[in-house]
Amino acid sequence: EDGKGRLKYFYCIAIEKSVSQTAMAKKKKGSKAEDGKGSAGAAEAKEEQTGKKGKYRKDKPWDHEGIDHWKPVEISAEDRPSGGLMLEESSFATLFPQYREQYLKQVWPDVKRVLAEHEIKAELNLVEGSMTVKTTRKTWDPYIIIKARDMIKLLARSVPLPQAQKILEDETNCDIIKIGGLVHSKERFVKRRQRLVGPNGSTLKAIELLTNCFVLVQGQTVCVMGTIKGIKQVRRIIQDCFKNIHPIYHIKELMIRRELEKDPELKEENWERFLPHFKKRNVQRKKAKITKKKARDVFPPQQTPRKEDLMMESGEYFLDEKERQMRKRIAKFEEQKVKSTEKRRERAKVFEAPSAADAKAAKKRKREEGSPAASSSGGKAGSSKESTKDMAERLKEKMTETKAKKQKTAEDLLL
């Protein structure tokens, strides 16, 4: 009974509240309708001023014209709450190469000391080859763990500690640019990386001075530390260098920009007319020889047969030694027979009568051989214009010479 009475009491109170609320709402509506007529014109004028976007925007008392929205928020140890800012532990780990182990061992106490100033815990695991940074309950800066992560990454990429610890400052940023996959050929990669460094590191030093950044080329990465603007410029120079655009062009452009920044009259003007425009030159290079790759078989080549296998195929393996010798002799005799028949045929060719075509060819050859001699003798005769008497004398002399020779030969034979 007591329970039922209480329920009734609460139910009555709820009804009274709802009735009073409806009455109040009606009163408000009436007053709004009266005021609406007067304020309609003002609302329309406001809409015209602010537009559709600013219709539902409210004035923010903390926002004014003199405020700098991009100013970094500075947090000090005094601003932290008494119970601590961090509710849970955040940690980052990174691996380092083996050649950095010795240096990190020496420097690790200093790394711990630098990070302890910001209440960050650091661990070095030499078994796994990793570095870890963790937040503690006393850490007051929520972004310092990201800065600590960047610091251990830089240490892993061969940046010395005095330089790497500057990343913990608010205005300093870093970027680790991977250059390993920008060029396929290893030789080209080495040449272009050397081009970026320059003779005795002069090109790299010029880039550092013009961009106000620290740049370190190590292996297949480039570490950059500085302002966001400077990091963007360095990234562009590095990427273009590996696209075969020399860094000297960018250095020249940066030098011109630096000079233009000093002039206040050119602050709001377009600088395109002052900047150099370099044309691409199509340099003729030696065409690389295309070598066709041999089609590789899926299965390995068939094994060469042994002497025993060949003997088994021919059936010689199962014969006695005498039978083998006999077989060899018979095979040798047959070979000799074939050779002897071939030689006989070659010898018999000499005694064969030549065909009509061969005879004609032989005659032609003889004529060709005799013609130059005849022409030479004819030429001589024409030139000397030999008379018949001279010819008769010459023939007589020849006859006497031949007779003397014959007599000599006869005498020699007798002796």
Side-chain angles (χ1 to χ4, degrees):
E1 282 175 6
D2 292 339
K4 283 177 183 178
R6 280 176 189 172
L7 281 168
K8 278 179 184 178
Y9 172 72
F10 286 123
Y11 186 65
C12 290
I13 289 165
I15 289 162
E16 280 175 10
K17 273 186 179 179
S18 66
V19 168
S20 63
Q21 280 174 1
T22 50
M24 286 288 285
K26 280 177 184 178
K27 277 182 186 179
K28 278 181 182 178
K29 273 183 184 178
S31 63
K32 273 183 183 178
E34 288 171 6
D35 296 336
K37 288 173 185 178
S39 62
E44 280 175 11
K46 247 189 182 181
E47 268 184 35
E48 283 175 9
Q49 286 176 356
T50 55
K52 287 181 181 178
K53 285 185 181 178
K55 191 179 177 183
Y56 301 104
R57 287 187 181 176
K58 291 179 181 179
D59 294 328
K60 297 172 184 120
W62 63 86
D63 196 1
H64 53 86
E65 289 179 1
I67 196 165
D68 184 9
H69 294 286
W70 297 100
K71 191 182 178 183
V73 180
E74 291 180 3
I75 301 166
S76 61
E78 295 162 6
D79 300 333
R80 65 181 169 187
S82 57
L85 187 68
M86 302 292 171
L87 297 172
E88 286 198 20
E89 184 190 86
S90 300
S91 65
F92 288 101
T94 186
L95 298 170
F96 60 86
Q98 199 174 2
Y99 62 83
R100 290 291 288 165
E101 191 177 316
Q102 198 65 35
Y103 177 77
L104 290 170
K105 266 187 196 177
Q106 294 171 1
V107 171
W108 200 248
D110 298 326
V111 174
K112 276 186 170 180
R113 182 176 49 76
V114 169
L115 292 172
E117 290 172 14
H118 300 274
E119 300 294 345
I120 296 281
K121 210 186 276 181
E123 289 176 10
L124 178 69
N125 192 339
L126 295 171
V127 177
E128 289 179 3
S130 66
M131 293 180 279
T132 314
V133 284
K134 296 175 185 177
T135 56
T136 58
R137 292 297 296 273
K138 291 179 182 179
T139 308
W140 71 86
D141 188 354
Y143 194 71
I144 199 70
I145 187 67
I146 305 296
K147 292 275 188 181
R149 179 200 65 183
D150 291 343
M151 182 181 160
I152 59 171
K153 272 188 180 181
L154 291 167
L155 286 168
R157 293 311 309 147
S158 300
V159 177
L161 178 63
Q163 184 64 38
Q165 70 185 28
K166 287 178 186 176
I167 197 67
L168 299 172
E169 296 168 11
D170 288 333
E171 292 173 5
T172 312
N173 298 286
C174 79
D175 190 10
I176 296 166
I177 303 158
K178 291 178 182 178
I179 55 172
L182 295 175
V183 181
H184 295 295
S185 172
K186 197 178 180 183
E187 289 175 8
R188 276 186 190 174
F189 171 76
V190 172
K191 279 181 184 177
R192 287 178 191 180
R193 186 178 63 181
Q194 188 55 41
R195 192 185 291 169
L196 182 68
V197 176
N200 301 320
S202 58
T203 310
L204 206 66
K205 191 73 183 170
I207 292 164
E208 283 181 352
L209 290 166
L210 289 164
T211 57
N212 296 322
C213 291
F214 168 81
V215 186
L216 179 79
V217 180
Q218 175 66 29
Q220 294 190 348
T221 58
V222 180
C223 299
V224 188
M225 283 176 70
T227 58
I228 290 165
K229 187 187 173 184
I231 288 166
K232 279 183 179 179
Q233 286 172 342
V234 173
R235 180 178 269 276
R236 187 180 155 213
I237 292 164
I238 290 161
Q239 285 174 347
D240 283 355
C241 180
F242 282 90
K243 286 176 186 174
N244 205 20
I245 297 165
H246 204 283
I248 200 75
Y249 299 127
H250 288 288
I251 288 164
K252 197 173 183 181
E253 191 182 315
L254 288 167
M255 285 169 80
I256 293 162
R257 280 181 185 276
R258 182 179 266 195
E259 290 299 316
L260 291 168
E261 279 170 10
K262 291 174 185 177
D263 194 349
E265 291 175 6
L266 299 167
K267 195 176 182 182
E268 293 177 2
E269 284 188 31
N270 191 6
W271 293 351
E272 282 295 316
R273 57 201 170 100
F274 301 111
L275 299 173
H277 298 285
F278 301 104
K279 290 179 182 178
K280 284 186 179 179
R281 289 178 183 176
N282 189 15
V283 182
Q284 289 183 349
R285 293 181 182 85
K286 287 180 182 178
K287 288 181 180 179
K289 289 180 181 178
I290 300 161
T291 52
K292 288 182 180 179
K293 289 182 180 178
K294 290 179 182 178
R296 288 185 180 179
D297 295 328
V298 180
F299 302 104
Q302 201 171 2
Q303 197 175 359
T304 51
R306 299 174 299 159
K307 195 178 178 181
E308 287 84 356
D309 296 334
L310 294 168
M311 284 170 78
M312 284 172 88
E313 277 178 19
S314 62
E316 199 179 335
Y317 186 78
F318 307 103
L319 299 172
D320 298 334
E321 190 63 35
K322 284 181 182 179
E323 288 174 346
R324 282 178 199 162
Q325 292 293 332
M326 277 293 291
R327 270 199 174 188
K328 280 180 183 177
R329 280 174 199 160
I330 291 160
K332 203 174 184 181
F333 182 69
E334 283 174 359
E335 280 178 13
Q336 283 174 353
K337 255 190 179 181
V338 171
K339 280 183 181 179
S340 62
T341 50
E342 281 177 4
K343 282 179 180 179
R344 276 175 200 162
R345 278 175 197 162
E346 283 174 9
R347 284 174 202 153
K349 276 179 186 177
V350 182
F351 302 107
E352 283 177 8
S355 62
D358 292 338
K360 279 181 183 179
K363 278 179 183 178
K364 261 190 181 181
R365 269 184 235 138
K366 278 181 182 179
R367 277 176 202 160
E368 284 168 7
E369 284 170 7
S371 62
S375 63
S376 63
S377 64
K380 280 176 185 176
S383 61
S384 59
K385 291 178 184 178
E386 197 175 14
S387 62
T388 50
K389 283 182 181 180
D390 294 332
M391 197 184 285
E393 283 174 9
R394 187 161 54 79
L395 288 166
K396 277 180 186 178
E397 282 173 10
K398 266 191 178 182
M399 285 292 284
T400 50
E401 280 176 13
T402 49
K403 277 179 184 179
K405 278 181 182 177
K406 277 179 182 179
Q407 282 173 1
K408 275 183 183 179
T409 51
E411 284 171 9
D412 291 336
L413 286 163
L414 286 165
L415 288 166

